[in-house]
């Protein structure tokens, strides 16, 4: 599931226009940069959660290139933890229904905002793509 977040997230943010980070549908909605910062918080928080610690992160968004790097770094760190021999403090199902499910929802929001902003994502064959654990940026 973490690899799916990475795969879909990479598609959602790839080749986004420079002004996309600050795009808003209304004044009360999150910008793509704010959404991506929240996804990063979810991924970073997941590692703590799986170790038995609960942290609530509310990061201010970085510049778009830095926020995308943070997204991939958080994903890679989480994947490394999941690949380790560390015992999970919670059942994996809780992890999927909580932060990973939330991250997938927010990736979908970014995809939708891309279309609204006039820069739709490229179509990808999600079903037939071989998505495996060990996701790395560029894979």
């Amino acid at each position: 599931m973490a690899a799916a977040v990475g795969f879909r997230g990479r598609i959602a943010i790839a080749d986004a226009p420079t002004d996309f980070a600050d795009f808003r549908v209304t004044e009360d909605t999150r910008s793509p940069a704010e959404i991506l910062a929240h996804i990063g918080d979810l991924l970073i928080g997941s590692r703590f959660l799986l170790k038995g610690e609960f942290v609530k992160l509310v990061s201010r968004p970085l510049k778009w290139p830095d926020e995308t790097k943070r997204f991939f770094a958080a994903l890679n760190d989480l994947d490394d933890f999941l690949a380790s021999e560390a015992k999970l403090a919670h059942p994996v199902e809780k992890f999927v229904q909580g932060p990973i499910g939330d991250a997938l929802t927010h990736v979908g929001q970014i995809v939708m905002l891309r279309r609204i902003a006039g820069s739709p994502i490229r179509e990808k064959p999600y079903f037939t793509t071989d998505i495996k654990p060990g996701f790395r940026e560029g894979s």
Side-chain angles (χ1 to χ4, degrees):
M1 289 296 296
V5 170
F7 178 77
R8 288 173 175 256
R10 182 182 62 213
I11 292 167
I13 62 180
D15 303 320
T18 54
D19 59 347
F20 177 67
D22 299 319
F23 176 77
R24 290 185 190 276
V25 175
T26 70
E27 289 182 23
D28 296 334
T29 58
R30 285 181 178 166
S31 70
E34 290 169 333
I35 294 169
L36 192 57
H38 178 61
I39 295 170
D41 288 346
L42 289 168
L43 296 172
I44 292 166
S46 292
R47 188 168 177 192
F48 284 99
L49 189 62
L50 290 171
K51 290 170 38 177
E53 304 170 46
F54 181 79
V55 297
K56 181 165 177 67
L57 302 171
V58 183
S59 299
R60 296 182 78 147
L62 305 170
K63 292 190 183 298
W64 189 252
D66 296 328
E67 199 60 63
T68 61
K69 287 178 188 169
R70 179 176 178 260
F71 167 75
F72 289 115
L75 190 60
N76 293 342
D77 287 346
L78 176 59
D79 187 68
D80 288 345
F81 178 77
L82 291 169
S84 75
E85 297 296 321
K87 183 172 173 18
L88 302 182
H90 302 282
V92 73
E93 293 84 3
K94 292 287 190 184
F95 170 64
V96 170
Q97 77 185 30
I100 293 300
D102 196 22
L104 282 171
T105 297
H106 293 305
V107 167
Q109 289 173 326
I110 292 173
V111 170
M112 183 178 66
L113 289 173
R114 287 282 302 264
R115 181 164 294 280
I116 294 169
S119 177
I121 65 164
R122 345 173 226 108
E123 289 187 31
K124 283 290 190 178
Y126 293 121
F127 184 75
T128 57
T129 299
D130 191 19
I131 300 171
K132 296 180 179 173
F135 174 86
R136 290 290 185 251
E137 182 178 4
S139 62

